[in-house]
Amino acid sequence: GAVVSQHPSRVICKSGTSVKIECRSLDFQATTMFWYRQFPKQSLMLMATSNEGSKATYEQGVEKDKFLINHASLTLSTLTVTSAHPEDSSFYICSANRDRGGRETQYFGPGTRLLVL
Amino acid sequence: SQQGEEDPQALSIQEGENATMNCSYKTSINNLQWYRQNSGRGLVHLILIRSNEREKHSGRLRVTLDTSKKSSSLLITASRAADTASYFCATALNSGNTPLVFGKGTRLSVIA
């Protein structure tokens, strides 16, 4: 089956540093990937839509200058949390759509847990 | 924004009992999906039901969809301790490249 990977799975960083999270579709090409954020004991909230070769589309309330998204190839999207602060500590999950004969199937990565001290 | 509201928010049952979780949403959808998430882990896709379907089964899972009421239910029969997890419904508004909108989730505890 289709697999989406994320790296790293867990990261601890100091306040003020930047953290890059990678999302890869391992056996299919994805023109679109989605980034979600999940705070403890809450649901997943869409942050942005990552489009290969074009700018990402951000949801209301998500700062595009703080959460930089680069979808440089059909198998890789990166999310960079710039100048991370403790309130950015969260579980970040990406997903990628795979076109299966006209029926889109969304595959989720295993998530990246970010802890900002 | 969140589309779905799930109830109950938390459910505790004995092993062997059935667990029913409900999800309501606000807009027209293309499909609705249910996911499981163990504490601190990623999502596991359970089942997808399309807007023109009313009921679907997968093993011990039974999902219903009532588009007139904009609601869905997930039934887990003969629950096991390993079913303990959070369960989320998620809706897709369109069939194309569209993100999922997740509900708030139900935390299920199955006591052995």
Side-chain angles (χ1 to χ4, degrees):
Chain A
V3 177
V4 174
S5 70
Q6 281 185 241
H7 178 79
S9 58
R10 184 185 298 266
V11 58
I12 301 173
C13 69
K14 293 182 179 180
S15 185
T17 60
S18 293
V19 175
K20 180 187 283 187
I21 303 170
E22 293 184 348
C23 176
R24 293 183 185 272
S25 55
L26 297 184
D27 56 356
F28 66 99
Q29 293 182 331
T31 56
T32 302
M33 294 183 177
F34 303 103
W35 287 97
Y36 298 82
R37 180 169 53 183
Q38 184 182 30
F39 291 109
K41 297 186 179 181
Q42 295 189 26
S43 186
L44 280 77
M45 295 292 288
L46 179 69
M47 297 177 66
T49 300
S50 174
N51 303 298
E52 189 270 335
S54 65
K55 291 183 179 180
T57 305
Y58 291 84
E59 293 300 295
Q60 193 173 10
V62 178
E63 299 175 55
K64 62 179 181 180
D65 294 329
K66 180 170 182 63
F67 298 99
L68 301 179
I69 291 173
N70 185 2
H71 197 146
S73 76
L74 288 172
T75 59
L76 173 64
S77 174
T78 61
L79 168 68
T80 301
V81 183
T82 62
S83 187
H85 290 283
E87 58 265 30
D88 298 322
S89 298
S90 188
F91 194 50
Y92 292 86
I93 304 174
C94 71
S95 71
N97 272 13
R98 182 181 190 181
D99 186 357
R100 305 191 69 159
R103 287 191 163 186
E104 297 285 344
T105 303
Q106 195 160 145
Y107 295 91
F108 283 85
T112 295
R113 187 160 301 282
L114 171 63
L115 176 61
V116 185
L117 302 176
Chain B
S1 62
Q2 273 180 313
Q3 161 88 294
E5 293 282 338
E6 275 131 306
D7 80 276
Q9 291 186 2
L11 178 62
S12 183
I13 59 174
Q14 296 288 327
E15 204 168 29
E17 294 180 337
N18 295 342
T20 299
M21 289 160 270
N22 302 296
C23 167
S24 62
Y25 56 93
K26 300 174 183 175
T27 66
S28 296
I29 61 172
N30 176 272
N31 65 74
L32 185 146
Q33 303 175 37
W34 284 90
Y35 288 85
R36 183 183 75 221
Q37 185 181 37
N38 286 40
S39 181
R41 306 293 293 274
L43 296 174
V44 175
H45 182 262
L46 296 176
I47 199 163
L48 180 152
I49 185 166
R50 301 194 184 279
S51 60
N52 60 352
E53 298 174 311
R54 292 297 168 257
E55 187 172 311
K56 225 171 176 181
H57 297 256
S58 177
R60 294 185 294 115
L61 306 180
R62 173 177 169 257
V63 168
T64 64
L65 179 64
D66 186 334
T67 53
S68 66
K69 296 181 179 178
K70 291 185 169 62
S71 67
S72 174
S73 68
L74 170 66
L75 168 68
I76 303 175
T77 60
S79 64
R80 306 166 181 168
D83 294 329
T84 295
S86 290
Y87 291 81
F88 296 93
C89 69
T91 53
L93 302 186
N94 301 302
S95 61
N97 268 331
T98 181
L100 295 179
V101 182
F102 284 82
K104 294 182 179 179
T106 294
R107 299 181 70 179
L108 173 66
S109 297
V110 181
I111 303 167

